[in-house]
Amino acid sequence: MDFKFEIAKAIATAAGLEPTEVVGGIEIPPNTDMGDYAFPCFRLAKTLRKAPPLIAADIAEKIVKPDFISEIKIQGAYVNLFTDKGMFAKEILENVVDEKENYGKCDVGNGKTIVVDYSSPNIAKPFHVGHLRSTVIGNAIYKIHEFLGYNCVGVNHLGDWGTQFGKLIVAYKNWGSKQAVEEKGIEELMRIYVKFHDEAENKPELDDEARGWFVKMQDGDEEALLLWKWFYEISMKEFDRVYKMLGVKFDAFTGESFYNDKMAPVVDELKEKKLLIESEGAMIVDLEEEKMPPCLIIRKDGGTLYATRDITAALYRKNKYNFEKCLYLTALDQNLHFAQWFKVIEKMGYEWSKDLVHVPFGLVSLDTGKLSTRKGNVVLMEELLNQAVNETKKIIEEKNPNLPNKEEVAKQVGIGAVIFNDLYNGRIKDVVFSWERMLSFEGETGPYVQYTNARACSVLKKAGITEVAANVDYTLLADESSAEVCKLLADFSNKIKDAADKYEPSIVSRHLVNIAQAFNKFYHDNPILSSEEDVKNARLVIVYAVKTVLTTGLGLLGINAPEQM
Ligand code: ARG
């Protein structure tokens, strides 16, 4: 049952409105003295032409109480509703037991497609912490939408095309060796790439040479393409390792190169629509009216650009997937790039330009100088994840040395900690990368939520059950800490919807921390296994429900939930 909606229906009927006019206004007060649900009447003053306190009084008089509401109190302009704790617990918990891992699911997304463009690192360039964030946030947004019934398409828009490959070819020909690239992979590609930049400072003709090679690539030159393909494969092998560790998969690896042969018609279309103008030998779309610098479409030397490929990719995706929304996960510093080319799509006359959404995020800063001394690259990403696993192993060794399959659990917890750390704050905020904090089993961390889940699993195990019977006496769950857990479980589905609407996984991660905290209080306040049979059975239903919801919630964030740790 959707409690908020049931309450909205009752209030709307009393006020002579539609539930949809009310539901958004229903709040869960921070303090239960003010009810378990509250409806402030201010927002109805305009429609009903009455003072808010009068509206509240009127609603209180006319409302037909839903069964799970025991009491309604008016406080100024607020209608405060108190749930019947036993009845409420019954509604929620029966539902969780019934639906299990599907609890909280809904079908708002049925029939709608969401394209999520995420991770998208650049071949032969650093896979830095920014790409890690894009990967982790994008993956969570994908899973959250999938849970709500959307058809999701995860696209890795690899940076696998562009002048940097011309540079890489020149660099390889001058200072590279096959053996070194094969042995050291991206690290070696990066070394020669950096060398190119150093050398080109004094020898600008190297840049011309590089552009020449890129033009050759565009024209299908065999030698150029063979080298490019090789660099691509070397890089992909390393990216794959990181994706495996993170447990992230994509539906398509259509990177920038995929659009090489698809850009010409788009450029023609821009010309036909009289949007393309020449400027200093290059072709641009002017955005002066929009107070933005022009969007560069074709370089002076004929080369296409990042934006050219993004415009082409958007048209391709609209055509192929007919998306409801197409999301782009990158750091904040690409704001202008997206604003510019979204505008170009709008100017082309596509009303769906409004469905292109840049979902930006903040930077990662480190609490030790350690990572910043060397340039972050894919090798380092792997190192970083491995370090998280190793540090976790040490903690497990200390806390629970007899744990079976320690290796696997350390992976799940260590990597889960890194992911959770990235998802815990609003995405636009900068993330501080602190080993100590993020690996802590206490505080607002991944390991804390996982540990709480494992605690619930262990209680069930000690009770000798894997499933619970839902036919318990729910009036035994009317105490405050049980009620608090139930209330949070009841709000799970709304939080997921909210997270999807705002592209904000932190709404889910924060809710999980709240559930974990409420559960730990419940666990502290209420003896379970030593209680009378009927009390024990009722409390075990809460334990089961918390385990179920935490496992689902962590899963939506891309984090595993080990049963023991
Ligand atoms: N490769 C880009 C970078 O590393 C990110 C690509 C994001 N996606 C897109 N369609 N532009 O900055």
Side-chain angles (χ1 to χ4, degrees):
M1 185 188 312
D2 183 341
F3 293 94
K4 273 192 181 160
F5 198 73
E6 290 303 314
I7 292 170
K9 270 205 303 213
I11 291 178
T13 314
L17 299 167
E18 287 300 315
T20 45
E21 292 173 272
V22 171
V23 71
I26 293 175
E27 297 171 354
I28 298 185
N31 178 341
T32 27
D33 296 348
M34 284 141 70
D36 297 300
Y37 292 94
F39 181 70
C41 295
F42 306 104
R43 49 155 51 202
L44 299 183
K46 240 193 180 155
T47 338
L48 299 177
R49 296 161 177 273
K50 240 204 278 188
L54 291 180
I55 300 175
D58 200 35
I59 290 175
E61 197 189 304
K62 293 201 186 123
I63 196 166
V64 181
K65 259 192 316 142
D67 282 348
F68 61 89
I69 295 296
S70 63
E71 204 185 345
I72 294 178
K73 282 192 200 157
I74 301 300
Q75 232 174 40
Y78 281 79
V79 181
N80 294 337
L81 304 100
F82 295 80
T83 55
D84 176 307
K85 304 289 178 283
M87 195 90 103
F88 188 75
K90 179 171 178 347
E91 271 297 337
I92 295 301
L93 298 173
E94 277 185 348
N95 204 337
V96 182
V97 172
D98 213 39
E99 310 247 317
K100 301 191 175 58
E101 67 276 10
N102 291 323
Y103 175 76
K105 250 190 192 169
C106 72
D107 53 11
V108 282
N110 274 6
K112 296 177 191 156
T113 295
I114 300 271
V115 174
V116 190
D117 175 321
Y118 65 116
S119 194
S120 310
N122 303 315
I123 303 284
K125 274 204 195 163
F127 185 118
H128 49 69
V129 264
H131 292 118
L132 181 73
R133 283 211 84 190
S134 174
T135 310
V136 163
I137 300 173
N139 187 46
I141 289 180
Y142 181 110
K143 291 191 172 221
I144 288 169
H145 278 86
E146 198 177 35
F147 196 67
L148 299 177
Y150 288 91
N151 170 41
C152 296
V153 184
V155 179
N156 195 328
H157 188 79
L158 292 163
D160 59 0
W161 204 248
T163 8
Q164 78 263 29
F165 289 93
K167 294 179 186 172
L168 203 55
I169 292 175
V170 174
Y172 177 69
K173 286 184 166 278
N174 283 309
W175 313 287
S177 86
K178 188 159 194 236
Q179 198 193 350
V181 173
E182 251 150 28
E183 269 167 23
K184 296 203 203 113
I186 296 183
E187 205 179 329
E188 171 68 5
L189 293 180
M190 274 186 55
R191 184 191 70 81
I192 58 174
Y193 188 72
V194 169
K195 172 118 176 122
F196 176 94
H197 280 270
D198 292 346
E199 297 279 329
E201 291 220 339
N202 304 319
K203 277 199 244 159
E205 61 272 22
L206 283 174
D207 276 315
D208 293 330
E209 218 183 299
R211 269 192 288 272
W213 275 104
F214 179 54
V215 172
K216 276 193 188 183
M217 277 168 59
Q218 286 189 329
D219 295 343
D221 177 85
E222 198 178 347
E223 185 191 0
L225 285 181
L226 270 175
L227 280 169
W228 165 78
K229 190 133 200 280
W230 181 50
F231 298 148
Y232 178 96
E233 274 156 13
I234 296 267
S235 298
M236 271 317 281
K237 237 197 269 163
E238 297 187 30
F239 295 161
D240 270 341
R241 282 206 302 270
V242 173
Y243 292 142
K244 254 208 201 92
M245 289 175 92
L246 292 169
V248 171
K249 290 201 181 93
F250 299 89
D251 300 301
F253 280 91
T254 40
E256 296 189 40
S257 68
F258 180 75
Y259 300 99
N260 183 38
D261 60 358
K262 299 175 181 60
M263 284 182 279
V266 176
V267 172
D268 287 344
E269 188 180 334
L270 285 167
K271 265 186 212 145
E272 266 160 39
K273 294 187 170 164
K274 309 225 177 317
L275 293 170
L276 210 56
I277 57 172
E278 210 197 300
S279 166
E280 296 168 32
M283 301 300 265
I284 62 162
V285 175
D286 182 67
L287 296 173
E288 207 177 319
E289 247 172 57
E290 286 78 13
K291 300 200 171 35
M292 284 189 277
C295 186
L296 198 51
I297 303 290
I298 296 178
R299 240 192 265 276
K300 212 159 53 187
D301 59 25
T304 53
L305 292 104
Y306 185 39
T308 325
R309 290 183 281 283
D310 258 333
I311 292 167
T312 307
L315 290 163
Y316 173 86
R317 290 173 190 172
K318 182 65 193 172
N319 186 34
K320 178 156 172 102
Y321 304 115
N322 193 22
F323 54 72
E324 178 91 2
K325 288 266 162 17
C326 183
L327 315 180
Y328 297 86
L329 280 290
T330 80
L332 205 57
D333 59 2
Q334 294 196 30
N335 272 358
L336 178 62
H337 164 73
F338 286 100
Q340 283 175 305
W341 75 259
F342 287 179
K343 214 13 137 195
V344 173
I345 300 268
E346 187 188 320
K347 282 180 167 260
M348 290 171 91
Y350 294 112
E351 57 78 33
W352 51 264
S353 70
K354 64 175 186 355
D355 304 325
L356 302 169
V357 188
H358 181 215
V359 182
F361 49 79
L363 303 171
V364 184
S365 60
L366 307 152
D367 72 338
T368 64
K370 240 182 173 177
L371 279 165
S372 49
T373 51
R374 270 177 55 190
K375 280 234 162 72
N377 61 28
V378 68
V379 184
L380 204 66
M381 273 309 118
E382 239 179 318
E383 261 171 38
L384 185 140
L385 294 174
N386 280 329
Q387 192 176 342
V389 174
N390 289 335
E391 297 292 327
T392 308
K393 236 184 269 172
K394 281 188 219 154
I395 298 173
I396 293 177
E397 221 49 83
E398 214 176 90
K399 290 199 175 215
N400 192 0
N402 299 321
L403 179 74
N405 61 344
K406 269 186 268 191
E407 294 286 320
E408 188 54 30
V409 174
K411 263 190 211 154
Q412 296 181 336
V413 176
I415 290 172
V418 174
I419 297 177
F420 198 91
N421 182 61
D422 248 9
L423 297 179
Y424 189 63
N425 286 311
R427 63 182 149 72
I428 216 70
K429 284 210 182 133
D430 292 349
V431 171
V432 178
F433 205 92
S434 150
W435 285 118
E436 205 186 324
R437 223 213 27 237
M438 86 180 141
L439 292 178
S440 163
F441 281 36
E442 281 136 45
E444 295 153 2
T445 65
Y448 171 69
V449 178
Q450 285 172 318
Y451 188 70
T452 306
N453 177 68
R455 168 177 275 173
C457 291
S458 127
V459 174
L460 295 172
K461 201 168 165 203
K462 281 196 196 124
I465 53 174
T466 48
E467 296 285 320
V468 290
N471 57 342
V472 298
D473 180 356
Y474 289 96
T475 60
L476 298 171
L477 300 177
D479 65 284
E480 206 176 301
S481 49
S482 304
E484 184 59 25
V485 173
C486 292
K487 203 157 92 181
L488 291 167
L489 296 179
D491 213 23
F492 184 55
S493 181
N494 282 318
K495 292 290 179 192
I496 297 171
K497 272 183 247 160
D498 202 22
D501 289 345
K502 299 187 172 121
Y503 313 118
E504 194 55 273
S506 64
I507 294 175
V508 175
S509 48
R510 289 189 172 245
H511 196 60
L512 295 185
V513 166
N514 291 340
I515 293 176
Q517 284 169 347
F519 176 74
N520 286 321
K521 178 162 189 319
F522 157 86
Y523 182 81
H524 175 266
D525 293 351
N526 298 301
I528 302 173
L529 298 175
S530 60
S531 296
E532 301 274 329
E533 197 63 14
D534 51 350
V535 175
K536 178 179 97 176
N537 288 339
R539 288 182 181 160
L540 281 173
V541 178
I542 290 202
V543 177
Y544 174 83
V546 166
K547 173 211 105 164
T548 305
V549 170
L550 289 183
T551 304
T552 303
L554 285 170
L556 291 177
L557 302 177
I559 300 173
N560 283 305
E563 299 205 338
Q564 256 183 301
M565 63 186 265

